[in-house]
Amino acid sequence: MRSYTELDTFDSWTEEEKDQFTLNVMKCLILDGVRKANSGHSGGPLSSIDFAYILFKEYLKFDPDDDQWFDRDRFVLSAGHESMLQYALLHFVGWMPMEQLQQFRQLHSETPGHPEVEIKGVECTTGPLGQGVCMGIGMSVAEAVVREMFKAKTDEAVCDHFSYILCSDGDLQEPVALGAAALAGHWGLSKVIMFYDANEAQISGHTDRSDSTNIPTVFEGLNWHVQEIDGHDPNAIRDAIEKAQVIEQPSIIVGKTIMAHGTATMETDHETHGAPLPQDEIDATKEKLQLPHESFYVPDECIAHFQSRFNDLKKMVNDWNSTLAESRSNADFNALWKMTVEDELPSLEYPAFEDGTSLATRKAFGATLDSFAKQLPHLVGGSADLEPSNYTGNFAKTYGDFIKDNQAGRNFAFGVREFPMAALINGMSLHGGVIPFGGTFLVFADYSRPALRLGAIQHVRAIHEFTHDSFWVGEDGPTHQPIEHAMALRTIPNFHVFRPGDAKETTACFEKALELKTSPSALLLTRQGVPVSDKSMDEIKAGVAKGGYIYQECDGSPELVFIATGSEVSLAVSVAEAMDDKRIRVVSLPCWEIFMQQSQEYRDEVIPQRGSMKISIEAGTTLGWDKFIGPAGLAVGIDHFGASAPGKDLAEEFGFTADQVEQKIRNHLADLL
Ligand SMILES: Cc1ncc(C[n+]2csc(CCOP(=O)(O)OP(=O)(O)O)c2C)c(N)n1
Ligand SMILES: [Mg+2]
């Protein structure tokens, strides 16, 4: 092993010696960063680093001058707690300044506790274990979709890259990772290459306290190519990566590694997982690795060595740019590139709905999907095995399933995998070039919730179709009837919940969700028929664009303002008609989040703060409606679980007929007198 005292002869060292020295420098940089922050993770980064170093230095395809270059390989650090490893690598790439490494985990630094997508060179936000695996796989799905989409327009490969994932024991203990892995195997995603840092250590001790899973056997069963290597052997790592690159299956490289590898006395110690090492241990490690005690020691020679491939990378990017420019001279190709990769949405044509007929909003979603999919070749998605219920069947039939031998298919048969589905579509969206959606029942939004949250944090455009949005589901009973779900989703920051009142609002909400490029959306849709409004599409579109609007006005200033969403908009209209002794305004509020972004003036215009009684009507929990109805208002909702019976009987039972709602309102008015 070379010492820092010999640095003046660096040029004459063997490649192996240069690598070893540079790697040691990087290890101590990580230890120093965590020590200075007095918080963070030391052990895991040191067991993964041999792989990560070789990947970044020798294999990862990227543009050193542009972290957003479209055809770059994606790298996902699913073990997000190993963030200091990623930041150290990015420092060597040239994208992460030293001052930032010294600000690890501090307010407003570019080196937060876990990697965040906003940081240059970070592809996605990780930390919640398991989801990084899914997002990496989702990126690979998007890569395949975009590759196939452009194949039809050009012979040149404009989208052709790998998605590398680095995962840890905890990642693979999370079932969500295995759900996504099952799909990757089924879909034959040969460009997924995952390194598993099998260091057998986790927070609470040795992994054998909680695990005896045979991961290689599991992944073989999931149709992955499996290699088991010594995760600290550079040549074994190179061989494994090269093999994984040509195998026509997703690949897992199980790296047998040692926690805190390279430290003076703490190798294998699980206590190193989430703590800075004692300064004595860091000093002793530096001595062992023949480095100076100096903190944040990074000699220029190491950076230059790490970047020795950069000229080749830049040349490759130049070649790609020329190919792209040539392809873009074809008008068809150029139009597709603009719409998909550059994300310029065309103005959309809408499906037609017959005024006054009864149509479930889930059916309106299906019709809208069919119409939009024709105009947006990059709109892709599917259902978690609720295709007939989610009305994505026609889409599936028209565009075909995405399968191993047809990756041009635009429909994903996700199987009963809500959480993997939601996490995968986050990854697809992060990759770019596609607009992904996923469908299931609203009641199962809880299964996907961690991914909805992680999508919102990352500002991804992902469209979640949630049908069967209330007790109106009927016979399936309380397990299938959402109560708290709409409101629970509304509590997620940067997440848009749409509950359209009819077919036309459904189309308008879907379009709005497409336009929200920095936020996930959920479309909450009815199972049961609701009347199609006779308003013009333009009027409805203008209303939806503001999140809430006056749906039906009364003469003079309103005594009562009904605020309804979804299937309760038409109910509110019926109640207003029945109560013709009162001046009643009906407001449709399909999206709280958008409504709250409007000016106070507009909001007061629609829902006056004073002078009228406000009544919310939504077939869900009442908690939260006080925000709009105030202390004297009335919230018509349901605060208990549903029951198994036909929807109409339940409406009767739970007080959701026009007569019952009217009675509740009259009682409330009487109580106030
Ligand atoms: C979903 C989730 N649950 C719990 C945690 C908290 N946590 C962070 S790392 C970790 C386990 C670490 O074990 P491993 O994945 O083997 O990482 P290593 O110790 O090898 O670095 C846990 C439980 C988390 N980040 N995400
Ligand atoms: Mg571990």
Side-chain angles (χ1 to χ4, degrees):
M1 190 185 290
R2 291 288 189 166
S3 160
Y4 77 101
T5 56
E6 310 168 70
L7 199 60
D8 52 352
T9 62
F10 189 86
D11 284 347
S12 67
W13 298 2
T14 64
E15 284 299 298
E16 204 179 336
E17 287 169 333
K18 289 177 183 170
D19 278 340
Q20 190 58 61
F21 185 82
T22 306
L23 194 94
N24 289 344
V25 165
M26 208 182 275
K27 280 186 178 180
C28 292
L29 186 61
I30 292 167
L31 297 182
D32 286 340
V34 176
R35 180 74 253 170
K36 179 153 192 280
N38 198 22
S39 150
H41 299 77
S42 309
L46 265 54
S47 63
S48 306
I49 195 170
D50 292 279
F51 168 80
Y53 173 87
I54 289 174
L55 177 68
F56 270 66
K57 178 169 174 289
E58 299 176 21
Y59 294 98
L60 198 72
K61 182 172 86 164
F62 61 95
D63 180 354
D65 297 325
D66 178 10
D67 64 306
Q68 293 301 309
W69 175 51
F70 185 70
D71 200 27
R72 67 194 182 276
D73 287 336
R74 305 308 198 257
F75 169 76
V76 174
L77 181 67
S78 190
H81 60 277
E82 297 186 8
S83 55
M84 196 60 199
L85 167 63
Q86 189 162 15
Y87 303 150
L89 287 162
L90 292 175
H91 177 66
F92 277 72
V93 168
W95 293 347
M96 176 64 75
M98 177 57 86
E99 311 82 79
Q100 294 296 329
L101 294 181
Q102 294 170 342
Q103 289 296 305
F104 183 44
R105 293 185 158 233
Q106 305 309 305
L107 191 64
H108 304 314
S109 73
E110 288 166 34
T111 46
H114 293 84
E116 296 178 11
V117 70
E118 291 78 9
I119 300 163
K120 192 171 177 180
V122 174
E123 299 289 355
C124 66
T125 300
T126 52
L129 290 165
Q131 290 198 61
V133 172
C134 308
M135 289 188 282
I137 292 171
M139 289 175 193
S140 188
V141 172
E143 187 267 346
V145 170
V146 175
R147 178 171 9 107
E148 292 298 320
M149 201 160 61
F150 282 99
K151 236 186 209 167
K153 306 270 176 210
T154 173
D155 295 335
E156 309 292 341
V158 288
C159 181
D160 184 13
H161 51 263
F162 293 101
S163 295
Y164 293 97
I165 303 164
L166 198 168
C167 73
S168 61
D169 297 303
D171 277 306
L172 298 189
Q173 287 174 346
E174 285 291 352
V176 69
L178 300 183
L183 288 169
H186 182 65
W187 291 336
L189 292 174
S190 59
K191 290 182 161 274
V192 171
I193 300 178
M194 179 154 80
F195 179 82
Y196 165 34
D197 176 33
N199 62 19
E200 296 184 338
Q202 59 188 125
I203 293 182
S204 309
H206 197 275
T207 50
D208 68 5
R209 286 187 68 198
S210 60
D211 229 329
S212 47
T213 306
N214 184 333
I215 288 290
T217 306
V218 168
F219 273 79
E220 268 163 25
L222 296 174
N223 298 306
W224 283 53
H225 178 256
V226 180
Q227 301 178 73
E228 289 179 81
I229 63 166
D230 171 353
H232 300 305
D233 175 347
N235 285 330
I237 292 169
R238 291 184 183 105
D239 287 349
I241 293 176
E242 286 170 26
K243 198 170 220 175
Q245 287 181 336
V246 294
I247 286 289
E248 298 209 335
Q249 282 171 290
S251 275
I252 181 169
I253 302 167
V254 180
K256 288 276 174 210
T257 54
I258 295 167
M259 190 70 166
H261 187 239
T263 54
T265 69
M266 297 185 83
E267 286 191 342
T268 75
D269 187 345
H270 74 92
E271 302 278 1
T272 64
H273 160 86
L277 303 191
Q279 190 59 51
D280 287 357
E281 176 72 11
I282 295 177
D283 291 343
T285 300
K286 287 179 177 172
E287 278 162 28
K288 179 181 160 185
L289 300 180
Q290 308 214 31
L291 296 177
H293 279 201
E294 179 186 333
S295 278
F296 297 98
Y297 169 73
V298 183
D300 294 344
E301 288 83 347
C302 292
I303 300 278
H305 175 62
F306 189 84
Q307 299 187 352
S308 52
R309 196 171 50 111
F310 275 24
N311 281 340
D312 295 342
L313 285 173
K314 289 178 188 180
K315 185 176 172 318
M316 178 206 53
V317 173
N318 274 340
D319 291 348
W320 182 89
N321 278 331
S322 314
T323 306
L324 180 69
E326 213 170 285
S327 301
R328 290 192 76 161
S329 62
N330 171 316
D332 257 11
F333 179 101
N334 195 40
L336 187 62
W337 189 264
K338 267 194 168 160
M339 187 197 296
T340 59
V341 177
E342 292 182 350
D343 202 10
E344 286 182 16
L345 281 176
S347 63
L348 292 167
E349 283 171 27
Y350 307 131
F353 299 107
E354 206 177 317
D355 293 0
T357 53
S358 171
L359 192 71
T361 54
R362 64 177 170 139
K363 291 189 187 172
F365 171 86
T368 308
L369 177 63
D370 292 341
S371 165
F372 286 180
K374 254 190 235 152
Q375 306 169 66
L376 302 170
H378 57 323
L379 181 58
V380 294
S383 165
D385 196 34
L386 287 170
E387 192 169 285
S389 305
N390 290 153
Y391 276 84
T392 57
N394 205 36
F395 174 83
K397 216 163 50 193
T398 310
Y399 300 105
D401 280 353
F402 178 94
I403 50 169
K404 192 173 177 357
D405 298 323
N406 178 28
Q407 295 191 338
R410 289 167 57 186
N411 181 72
F412 302 108
F414 286 110
V416 192
R417 297 190 181 94
E418 296 82 5
F419 184 13
M421 169 175 75
L424 280 169
I425 69 176
N426 284 344
M428 290 184 218
S429 177
L430 286 161
H431 177 279
V434 297
I435 305 177
F437 71 90
T440 184
F441 287 161
L442 176 57
V443 83
F444 302 133
D446 286 344
Y447 276 55
S448 342
R449 192 174 175 94
L452 308 184
R453 181 172 199 274
L454 201 54
I457 285 185
Q458 296 180 89
H459 296 95
V460 304
R461 174 179 46 193
I463 301 177
H464 303 278
E465 180 211 6
F466 293 129
T467 67
H468 296 59
D469 71 345
S470 74
F471 70 78
W472 276 100
V473 167
E475 293 84 344
D476 274 340
T479 56
H480 284 52
Q481 293 165 4
I483 297 293
E484 73 281 19
H485 298 74
M487 205 57 88
L489 291 176
R490 289 184 185 123
T491 64
I492 302 177
N494 189 42
F495 190 87
H496 285 79
V497 179
F498 291 95
R499 192 161 185 260
D502 82 326
K504 292 178 186 173
E505 272 195 10
T506 303
T507 298
C509 290
F510 195 161
E511 184 183 38
K512 193 75 207 156
L514 292 169
E515 289 166 2
L516 290 167
K517 293 183 180 176
T518 57
S519 165
S521 298
L523 298 170
L524 278 43
L525 307 167
T526 67
R527 176 189 178 213
Q528 77 280 16
V530 289
V532 177
S533 162
D534 56 11
K535 290 182 192 306
S536 74
M537 196 59 215
D538 281 349
E539 193 184 341
I540 289 205
K541 196 179 156 184
V544 166
K546 299 200 156 189
Y549 61 106
I550 299 173
Y551 188 83
Q552 183 169 289
E553 189 55 308
C554 53
D555 290 333
S557 62
E559 293 165 89
L560 305 178
V561 175
F562 294 172
I563 310 162
T565 74
S567 43
E568 285 66 63
V569 174
S570 49
L571 175 64
V573 169
S574 304
V575 177
E577 273 160 16
M579 297 179 71
D580 56 5
D581 55 322
K582 302 277 180 204
R583 294 191 307 276
I584 300 175
R585 170 187 294 174
V586 178
V587 170
S588 175
L589 195 61
C591 183
W592 280 33
E593 294 78 14
I594 296 178
F595 185 68
M596 290 311 293
Q597 286 160 10
Q598 306 310 308
S599 65
Q600 186 70 51
E601 196 185 349
Y602 175 76
R603 281 183 276 152
D604 290 350
E605 231 172 80
V606 177
I607 305 175
Q609 298 210 25
R610 271 172 276 282
S612 53
M613 154 91 61
K614 273 113 30 192
I615 295 131
S616 65
I617 315 178
E618 181 173 73
T621 194
T622 55
L623 179 75
W625 275 108
D626 45 335
K627 171 178 181 138
F628 292 112
I629 62 176
L634 172 70
V636 177
I638 172 167
D639 290 310
H640 52 80
F641 293 123
S644 170
K648 280 203 165 82
D649 297 348
L650 292 176
E652 194 84 44
E653 176 73 10
F654 299 148
F656 276 82
T657 64
D659 287 353
Q660 289 165 306
V661 173
E662 176 181 351
Q663 202 49 56
K664 273 186 208 167
I665 295 168
R666 291 201 187 279
N667 291 347
H668 184 71
L669 289 171
D671 285 349
L672 287 181
L673 288 176

